[in-house]
Amino acid sequence: MAIVVEPKLISGNANKPLAAAIARRMSLYRGMSVGLVDARIERFNDQEIFVEVYENVRGEDMFIIQSTSNPANDNLMELLIMADALRRSSASRITAVIPYFGYARQDRRTKARTPITAKLVANMIAEAGIERVLTLDLHAAQIQGFFDIPVDNLYASPIFALDILRQFKGNMEDIMVISPDVGGVARARELAKRINAPLAIVDKRREKPGEVAEMTVIGDVTGKKCFIVDDMCDTAGTLCKAAEVLMEHGATEVHAYISHGVMSGPAVERVTNSVMKSLVLTDSIQPTEAVASAPNIRILPTAPMFAQSILNIWNGTSVSSLFETDTLGPIYEGIL
């Protein structure tokens, strides 16, 4: 009689609340308790990372839940060392669940003598013994090609669409989806198609990283409720500036839906004082206390989608089916 191997979860320190939420949702879906594998992840006095797994994982299908968010280097090393510990403990398969994939912005050489760090990190992940990656909204979809192992890239736009349709039910007229740059048009178009809304672009020109010299609105936003959609919000300077430009061009209100709330430096203060009515983030990066308490910031849960994705990977069924509203809608019933 064949032994059915259950999926097992282990979490680093990057986003423990999300890992616990994924375990709870998997318990709900499976009808049996799914917990996090007991392990300790410590630091020696010189901040060297040490991992010890307390449970037997021989022959198990392991899923490491770990975003490589701030502090990016520490969280990345935790992921690699956990993978090595599991590989040397004879786990049958190791999947890295990386809700936020750090270093993704360095996906090409923008100037002479610069690295392509996203490729370097991909090599390190594969070398550590990880056999599959599950992530959310990569900064650029082609980063999947940096890996020589399977990569499942989930999208936040189906969750955003569900939230918009619920929040603005009966008030969907005059809605317009905005891409904050030309490179994000595909992401914005995907959301626009889901909520049956037109699309406009805020074209920005940078003099240097983090500073925007000029913004131009491509499309007529007069009298529109504008929804800016992007994969990442770091210091929120560009986002708040784009919101101002849209209001100056006649928008009635501006909301933003962002996959990854990096929210570093003055980001929360900028958003709080901005013209935006709301900023909606996922919990792919653990929200700081300032983010959680900001009056115009909301957090959408990703645990239901990640839990179902893990189960689909485990039992060999389609992950891309979760991109469909008919599949994802029931999973988020009563949550959004």
Side-chain angles (χ1 to χ4, degrees):
M1 182 176 172
I3 298 174
V4 178
V5 178
E6 294 291 325
K8 282 199 170 184
L9 309 180
I10 187 169
S11 174
N13 292 315
N15 197 341
K16 283 191 169 180
L18 176 58
I22 291 172
R24 284 196 301 271
R25 294 299 298 187
M26 286 180 64
S27 299
L28 183 65
Y29 298 155
R30 296 278 294 143
M32 58 190 294
S33 178
V34 176
L36 297 172
V37 167
D38 189 18
R40 68 174 171 135
I41 302 164
E42 294 183 348
R43 277 154 179 73
F44 295 127
N45 290 335
D46 63 354
Q47 299 306 300
E48 191 176 296
I49 297 167
F50 173 75
V51 171
E52 183 179 5
V53 181
Y54 290 127
E55 297 180 28
N56 178 30
V57 296
R58 184 179 296 274
E60 300 287 1
D61 194 359
M62 298 299 304
F63 293 82
I64 306 172
I65 302 170
Q66 177 80 337
S67 282
T68 52
S69 50
N70 183 36
N73 298 333
D74 283 13
N75 288 329
L76 175 60
M77 282 304 298
E78 281 189 12
L79 171 64
L80 300 176
I81 294 169
M82 281 191 289
D84 189 72
L86 294 172
R87 180 169 61 92
R88 295 176 188 278
S89 303
S90 302
S92 68
R93 182 176 66 170
I94 303 168
T95 300
V97 181
I98 311 175
Y100 170 69
F101 182 77
Y103 285 108
R105 284 176 278 189
Q106 300 181 48
D107 62 343
R108 64 196 185 283
R109 295 187 71 192
T110 54
K111 296 178 182 176
R113 296 173 297 282
T114 57
I116 304 178
T117 317
K119 171 58 176 167
L120 173 63
V121 171
N123 290 347
M124 291 165 67
I125 286 172
E127 194 64 30
I130 290 165
E131 297 168 58
R132 177 181 288 270
V133 170
L134 175 64
T135 188
L136 175 70
D137 265 342
L138 284 169
H139 184 63
Q142 62 266 26
I143 291 174
Q144 295 171 82
F146 291 0
F147 290 87
D148 293 324
I149 56 177
V151 176
D152 291 302
N153 184 31
L154 300 176
Y155 299 101
S157 59
I159 308 174
F160 292 163
L162 290 171
D163 185 71
I164 291 170
L165 292 170
R166 176 186 170 276
Q167 292 287 328
F168 294 88
K169 188 176 182 180
N171 192 23
M172 291 291 292
E173 69 281 354
D174 298 327
I175 278 182
M176 181 173 266
V177 175
I178 310 293
S179 173
D181 52 43
V182 175
V185 169
R187 183 181 293 106
R189 189 189 296 122
E190 170 70 15
L191 179 59
K193 192 165 65 173
R194 288 179 181 275
I195 63 175
N196 195 27
L199 179 68
I201 303 168
V202 176
D203 183 40
K204 62 175 180 276
R205 181 170 57 85
R206 291 184 187 273
E207 294 295 338
K208 55 184 177 180
E211 290 187 16
V212 176
E214 185 182 342
M215 282 190 170
T216 307
V217 178
I218 304 172
D220 185 9
V221 299
T222 305
K224 301 289 187 181
K225 292 193 283 283
C226 292
F227 290 80
I228 301 172
V229 58
D230 205 357
D231 69 310
M232 188 186 307
C233 177
D234 191 348
T235 60
T238 303
L239 182 65
C240 293
K241 176 66 175 172
E244 287 175 19
V245 170
L246 289 168
M247 292 297 285
E248 288 167 5
H249 280 73
T252 55
E253 55 188 68
V254 178
H255 305 264
Y257 279 78
I258 309 293
S259 303
H260 307 297
V262 179
M263 305 302 283
S264 59
V268 175
E269 184 183 351
R270 282 175 174 170
V271 170
T272 304
N273 297 327
S274 74
V275 297
M276 278 187 295
K277 288 197 73 173
S278 69
L279 168 61
V280 181
L281 308 169
T282 76
D283 59 355
S284 63
I285 297 174
Q286 184 176 343
T288 62
E289 191 175 323
V291 169
S293 60
N296 58 344
I297 298 179
R298 285 193 299 120
I299 309 294
L300 296 183
T302 56
M305 182 169 64
F306 274 115
Q308 190 62 58
S309 300
I310 290 170
L311 289 172
N312 287 8
I313 290 170
W314 166 70
N315 61 31
T317 55
S318 170
V319 172
S320 62
S321 64
L322 295 174
F323 304 160
E324 304 301 324
T325 304
D326 291 345
T327 309
L328 198 63
I331 294 173
Y332 274 88
E333 193 71 40
I335 297 175
L336 296 181

